[in-house]
Amino acid sequence: AVEDIDWDALTVRGTCQEIEKRYLRLTSAPDPSTVRPEEILEKALLMVQNSQKNYLYKCDQLKSIRQDLIVQRTRNHLTVKHNFTANQVYEAHARFALEVGDLPEYNQCQSQLKILYAEGIKGCHMEFAAYNLLCVIMHSNNNRDLLSSMSRLSAEAKKDQAVQHALAVRAAVTSGNYVLFFRLYKTAPNLNSCLMDLYVEKMRYKAVSCMSRSYRPQVPVSYIAQVLGFSNGVLTNEGSDEKESDGLEDCVDWLKAHGACLVVDSNGEMQLDAKASSSTIYMPDPEDAVAHGDSSLAVNDFLTRTS
Amino acid sequence: MAYPSMGEAHRRITDYLNKFCDAVSYQDVASLAQLFSFSSNSPSLLSLADALNFFQDANRLIKQSDKFSQFGEILAPLFRSLQSYRLGNLVEAYHAFEKFANAFIQEFRNWESAWALEALYVIAYEIRVLAERADRELSSNGKSPEKLKGAGSFLMKVFGVLALGTVHLCRSVIRSIETARIFDFEEFPRRDKVTYMYYTGRLEVFNENFPAADHKLSYALTHCNPLREANIRMILKYLIPVKLSLGILPKTCLLEKYNLLEYNDVVKALKRGDLRLLRHALQEHEDQFLRSGVYLVLEKLELQVYQRLVKKIYFIQKQKDPSKAHQLKLEVIVKALKWLEMDMDLDEVECIMTILIYKNLVKGYFAHKSKVVVLSKQDPFPKLNGKPVNS
C-alpha cells in the first residue's frame, strides 16, 4: 500500500491544481507540480463523493488523493481552517469499499483509521468501531480476537448506537439466535448491514439445520422467509403483495439450492418437511470462491510457516 | 580492553571448549550453565570474549578436533554472540545467541534425560535479558524494538510463553513438548507440571475444549500445594466456568473461601433458571470477565439457564395436570420470561426453543402450527453429566 513506503525523505509541497487525477503508484520522489495541495485535495474528495461514476473510478481517485496526502505528510496535520482531515478521505474510501464488498480495500483504510484515531483525530470513530467489531465477528473463529476487541471498547463507545447494534449482532451470532440476527439486519445503522451480509448465508444455513432437527412435522416456508430475512416487507401496510411473494420465491429457491425437502400442503401452502430435510440439507460450494487475502493470517498457516 | 597474546588467547578458547565438552560428558549442569551466563559478566567470560575478538578464527579451533566439532552448531554462534556482546553490539549479540539457543535445544532433545534443564532455564533467562537490551539499542537508533518478541519464539520451545501474551503460538510449543520422546512429563519438578497444566488448561478454555480444559485444570488443582491459596484461586478462576459448562456447580463456601464471589450470581442463575440474573451478573463483572477471557464461556451458560426455566414450568404443569404436562404452550414460556422482565416475543422464544431442542437440552420437538413444545415422555431435560453442550 501507498502508506508502507517511507516518505520521510521525500516530503514535498505540491502545486498541482487538478481536481481529478488518476492514480499512478510512486516509487521515487514525485515532481511537486504533479502533487495537489490540501485545498485542492479537499475539493477532489468532494468531487468523488458527489460523483455518479462507478466504484472503480472512485477507488482510483481516492487512492490518488491518499498518495498526495502521504507524500506531503499532511496525514498528521489538522487544518482547522479547512476542517479537512485525512480521516475523511479514509472514511469515505472505507464506506465505498464496504458498499461494494471490497474487503481488502476496506481493511487497508481501517488500519490507517486506527492509527489516525489513536493520534487523537476522532472523525467518525464510533461508526468505524462498530464496523471493526463486526469484522472480527464475521471473519474469525478466534475467541481471543473477539474478547480483546470487546474489552478494548471504551465506556463511551458502548453507549454509541452503532456499537450497541454491533454488540447485539455479536450476541446473536454467538448464540445462533437467527430471529434476532435478521431483525438486527433490518434495523442496522450506517453500513453495519454490509458487514452482516458476509454472515447471512452461514446464519441461514445454521437456522435451517436447527429447524430441521427441532420442528415436526413441518414449517411453513412463508414463516421461514419471514424470520430469515427473505421478505423485505415487515408486517405493516407498507409491504406490497409483490414484495412479499418475491421474498417467498427467493426463500424457496434458496431452500432448494441447499437440499431442503419441500411439500405443498392441503391448503396449497409450501411447507418444509423437517424430518426429511434434516438428512438432506447441505452447504453448497461457493462457485466464485476466491482465497481471501487475510487467510494467510490463519493461525495454523502461521504455525506451519514458523516451524 | 587488554588483549592477550596469541598463545594466551588460544589457551583460553581451548580451555572453554574443554569445559563445555566435559560438562556435557559428566552431565554437570551447574558448570554448563555458567558457561553462557553472559549477564553475570564474570571475569572468565569477559576474558574469553577478549580472546575470541583477538584470535578471530575460533571456528578453526572448533573444527580441528572431533571432540569439539560435534558441538560446532552450538559453539560457533555462542562465540559470535559473546564477541558482539563484549563489543557492545547488542543486536548482533542477540541474533547469534538466538541461533545458539535453538541449536542447544536441538541437542537437548537428543540427550537421554532432562539433566540439562537448569541450563535451559539459564538460556531462557539470558535470551530474554539480551532481547531487552537489543530492543533498547534498536529504539535508541529509531528502529522498532522487536527482539523481545523474537526471543519469545525460543522461549515457546521450552514452555508456554503466556507471559508475553502470545497464547495462540503456544500450540507449537505444546506439540513439541507432548511429542518429544525424551520429555517424560513425570520427570519434571511438580511446580513445573502444575504451571504447565494451568497454562495449557487456560488455552483449552479459550478454544472451548471443555473436557480437555477440565482434565488439565483439575490436574493443576489437585497437584497444587494447598497452602498456595493465591495459585489455587488462579486455577479455580478458570476451572469454575469450565465446570459450569459441564453442568457441575461449585458450593458457595468454595467461592467464599477463595474470594471468587463474582461467580455467585451466575451459579444462582443456573440453579433458578433466572436469565435476568445471569445477564445482570455478566454486565456487572463485564470488564473482569472480558479481561480474564471467560466472558464468552459464561455467556453460553444462557442455554442451560433456559433449560432450567423450562424444566420448572414443566414441573409446575405436571403437578396441576400430569396427563398434559408434556405439552408446553409457547405463550406460557413467554409469560414466564416476561415475569422475569425478559421482554421477548413469540418468534424469538420459539427460536430459543428450537435451539434448545437442537442442542439436546430439551428432548422432543416443536409443533409450529399449535405453537407447542412437545416433550419426550422419557427424560425430557437430559442432564449434562460432565459432558459439554452439543455444539
Side-chain angles (χ1 to χ4, degrees):
Chain A
V2 159
E3 289 81 7
D4 298 326
I5 300 173
D6 179 14
W7 296 102
D8 265 320
L10 308 171
T11 312
V12 298
R13 285 271 163 271
T15 57
C16 174
Q17 300 292 309
E18 298 295 319
I19 290 177
E20 195 180 23
K21 190 183 143 205
R22 297 216 54 198
Y23 173 58
L24 200 63
R25 187 186 163 87
L26 286 171
T27 50
S28 59
D31 176 359
S33 67
T34 63
V35 177
R36 295 163 289 176
E38 214 175 297
E39 320 88 68
I40 303 299
L41 291 175
E42 189 184 343
K43 292 189 184 145
L45 177 63
L46 216 60
M47 181 277 294
V48 172
Q49 284 176 313
N50 293 326
S51 168
Q52 299 300 316
K53 295 196 184 157
N54 67 20
Y55 174 69
L56 287 173
Y57 169 79
K58 290 182 183 173
C59 192
D60 185 66
Q61 291 292 315
L62 283 163
K63 276 200 172 111
S64 172
I65 295 173
R66 279 159 62 180
Q67 184 167 264
D68 282 359
L69 273 173
I70 298 291
V71 161
Q72 294 175 99
R73 302 290 290 168
T74 54
R75 193 169 66 121
N76 299 333
H77 176 55
L78 244 182
T79 49
V80 177
K81 180 186 162 197
H82 293 284
N83 199 30
F84 170 73
T85 64
N87 277 41
Q88 293 180 322
V89 177
Y90 288 109
E91 284 169 355
H93 200 170
R95 287 192 195 106
F96 287 133
L98 271 181
E99 276 170 359
V100 301
D102 182 357
L103 279 180
E105 195 62 60
Y106 162 77
N107 281 326
Q108 256 188 45
C109 295
Q110 178 72 291
S111 315
Q112 293 307 309
L113 282 170
K114 272 197 191 125
I115 299 170
L116 287 165
Y117 294 148
E119 284 171 8
I121 310 165
K122 285 303 173 192
C124 302
H125 65 296
M126 290 301 179
E127 177 188 346
F128 283 84
Y131 297 154
N132 191 35
L133 190 60
L134 285 169
C135 255
V136 176
I137 305 163
M138 303 298 141
H139 261 241
S140 62
N141 279 323
N142 192 334
N143 280 342
R144 253 204 126 224
D145 288 344
L146 190 53
L147 284 163
S148 68
S149 295
M150 284 168 72
S151 62
R152 269 191 262 124
L153 288 173
S154 65
E156 185 204 358
K158 285 185 219 178
K159 291 197 201 122
D160 178 78
Q161 193 209 21
V163 173
Q164 280 184 348
H165 179 269
L167 286 169
V169 172
R170 198 284 311 163
V173 168
T174 304
S175 60
N177 188 334
Y178 47 86
V179 165
L180 192 58
F181 181 85
F182 287 101
R183 279 196 189 149
L184 289 166
Y185 187 91
K186 284 205 191 101
T187 60
N190 303 325
L191 295 170
N192 284 10
S193 56
C194 293
L195 284 162
M196 289 176 79
D197 276 335
L198 302 170
Y199 203 79
V200 164
E201 172 73 5
K202 208 168 177 182
M203 192 49 134
R204 282 178 175 158
Y205 182 73
K206 279 168 82 169
V208 176
S209 306
C210 184
M211 289 178 184
S212 311
R213 288 255 252 115
S214 312
Y215 281 101
R216 292 289 180 270
Q218 294 167 343
V219 194
V221 175
S222 56
Y223 181 74
I224 298 176
Q226 182 215 316
V227 297
L228 296 187
F230 284 99
S231 323
N232 286 319
V234 192
L235 296 154
T236 63
N237 38 12
E238 203 184 64
S240 68
D241 285 335
E242 229 179 76
K243 259 195 188 166
E244 290 286 325
S245 61
D246 273 345
L248 196 61
E249 248 180 65
D250 288 339
C251 184
V252 171
D253 287 342
W254 188 92
L255 285 169
K256 284 192 179 151
H258 290 75
C261 295
L262 302 177
V263 295
V264 180
D265 70 7
S266 49
N267 294 332
E269 276 181 49
M270 256 300 187
Q271 302 274 348
L272 174 84
D273 180 339
K275 190 168 185 185
S277 298
S278 63
S279 50
T280 57
I281 49 159
Y282 70 100
M283 183 73 116
D285 285 324
E287 293 133 349
D288 50 354
V290 169
H292 192 288
D294 286 350
S295 66
S296 62
L297 295 175
V299 177
N300 281 321
D301 283 1
F302 186 85
L303 287 173
T304 49
R305 264 194 275 135
T306 56
S307 60
Chain B
M1 229 177 290
Y3 278 133
S5 69
M6 201 45 120
E8 172 66 15
H10 185 283
R11 188 190 66 76
R12 285 185 202 168
I13 296 170
T14 38
D15 256 6
Y16 180 95
L17 289 170
N18 279 318
K19 274 199 193 118
F20 184 96
C21 297
D22 288 346
V24 174
S25 303
Y26 297 123
Q27 299 195 352
D28 179 0
V29 67
S31 306
L32 184 64
Q34 272 181 351
L35 294 175
F36 21 82
S37 322
F38 287 15
S39 62
S40 66
N41 286 320
S42 71
S44 58
L45 269 177
L46 293 178
S47 66
L48 172 67
D50 289 343
L52 286 167
N53 278 323
F54 183 72
F55 194 86
Q56 285 291 320
D57 197 10
N59 277 342
R60 185 166 56 82
L61 284 181
I62 296 173
K63 287 188 189 138
Q64 253 173 19
S65 141
D66 280 350
K67 184 181 177 191
F68 303 150
S69 62
Q70 60 173 318
F71 299 117
E73 305 261 299
I74 298 177
L75 293 165
L78 179 61
F79 279 174
R80 279 204 310 276
S81 179
L82 188 56
Q83 285 174 256
S84 299
Y85 180 85
R86 185 63 166 137
L87 294 171
N89 299 330
L90 275 327
V91 178
E92 306 271 45
Y94 169 81
H95 275 146
F97 198 88
E98 194 183 46
K99 279 213 168 77
F100 151 69
N102 283 323
F104 185 87
I105 214 182
Q106 297 275 53
E107 192 62 25
F108 181 78
R109 283 196 182 122
N110 291 332
W111 291 331
E112 323 92 273
S113 70
W115 67 265
L117 192 60
E118 300 263 308
L120 216 48
Y121 286 163
V122 171
I123 295 179
Y125 176 79
E126 293 296 323
I127 205 176
R128 181 176 67 76
V129 169
L130 266 176
E132 280 169 354
R133 293 186 62 179
D135 276 349
R136 275 200 286 262
E137 188 181 288
L138 285 169
S139 293
S140 66
N141 289 338
K143 303 223 178 79
S144 76
E146 11 106 313
K147 293 311 168 198
L148 195 59
K149 220 197 292 176
S153 72
F154 166 76
L155 291 167
M156 284 188 306
K157 288 179 184 165
V158 184
F159 297 113
V161 194
L162 289 153
L164 290 178
T166 53
V167 170
H168 61 285
L169 294 169
C170 291
R171 250 190 267 158
S172 61
V173 186
I174 292 163
R175 222 191 295 141
S176 67
I177 290 177
E178 286 175 352
T179 58
R181 53 197 161 85
I182 61 116
F183 275 90
D184 184 359
F185 187 68
E186 294 306 315
E187 265 193 37
F188 279 72
R190 164 185 274 222
R191 151 181 65 111
D192 290 338
K193 287 188 279 196
V194 171
T195 309
Y196 178 80
M197 285 302 211
Y198 167 73
Y199 281 116
T200 53
R202 274 181 63 177
L203 252 182
E204 302 286 10
V205 176
F206 273 132
N207 296 329
E208 295 182 7
N209 296 331
F210 295 128
D214 186 17
H215 167 75
K216 295 186 170 174
L217 290 170
S218 297
Y219 181 100
L221 186 67
T222 49
H223 288 76
C224 183
N225 183 341
L227 295 173
R228 297 235 182 269
E229 293 205 353
N231 287 354
I232 296 202
R233 182 177 186 274
M234 279 169 71
I235 299 170
L236 283 173
K237 194 160 79 145
Y238 290 91
L239 186 56
I240 288 171
V242 171
K243 290 286 195 194
L244 291 174
S245 303
L246 298 172
I248 300 163
L249 275 54
K251 296 209 173 90
T252 314
C253 53
L254 180 72
L255 298 178
E256 279 167 357
K257 181 174 180 189
Y258 292 102
N259 192 20
L260 288 164
L261 286 165
E262 61 263 30
Y263 292 125
N264 210 13
D265 280 347
V266 175
V267 175
K268 254 193 226 159
L270 277 166
K271 283 189 185 151
R272 288 195 222 154
D274 188 346
L275 192 69
R276 176 188 46 180
L277 186 58
L278 177 68
R279 296 234 174 119
H280 168 82
L282 283 174
Q283 217 183 359
E284 198 182 320
H285 303 287
E286 192 182 69
D287 288 338
Q288 197 180 9
F289 290 151
L290 279 173
R291 261 184 289 118
S292 65
V294 297
Y295 185 90
L296 294 175
V297 173
L298 294 171
E299 198 188 38
K300 287 212 165 90
L301 295 173
E302 234 178 50
L303 282 179
Q304 285 164 250
V305 175
Y306 276 118
Q307 185 204 41
R308 182 87 193 121
L309 177 66
V310 177
K311 193 172 182 179
K312 279 169 99 170
I313 296 172
Y314 166 72
F315 280 135
I316 292 169
Q317 272 192 204
K318 203 170 178 186
Q319 284 184 329
K320 281 194 192 155
D321 185 355
S323 62
K324 291 221 188 94
H326 68 287
Q327 290 192 356
L328 294 176
K329 287 201 183 134
L330 194 62
E331 54 185 34
V332 173
I333 303 172
V334 173
K335 241 188 232 165
L337 284 164
K338 280 217 167 78
W339 187 76
L340 282 170
E341 289 168 22
M342 308 283 343
D343 199 6
M344 295 161 73
D345 64 32
L346 281 171
D347 280 347
E348 208 181 330
V349 180
E350 183 169 331
C351 174
I352 305 280
M353 289 301 117
T354 57
I355 295 174
L356 284 174
I357 296 167
Y358 180 63
K359 302 222 167 169
N360 216 32
L361 283 166
V362 169
K363 269 197 9 214
Y365 65 88
F366 192 85
H368 175 80
K369 216 169 176 183
S370 46
K371 300 261 183 248
V372 166
V373 178
V374 180
L375 297 169
S376 155
K377 297 264 171 74
Q378 266 186 343
D379 192 23
F381 302 100
K383 282 204 165 151
L384 288 176
N385 278 336
K387 289 214 181 81
V389 175
N390 283 346
S391 52

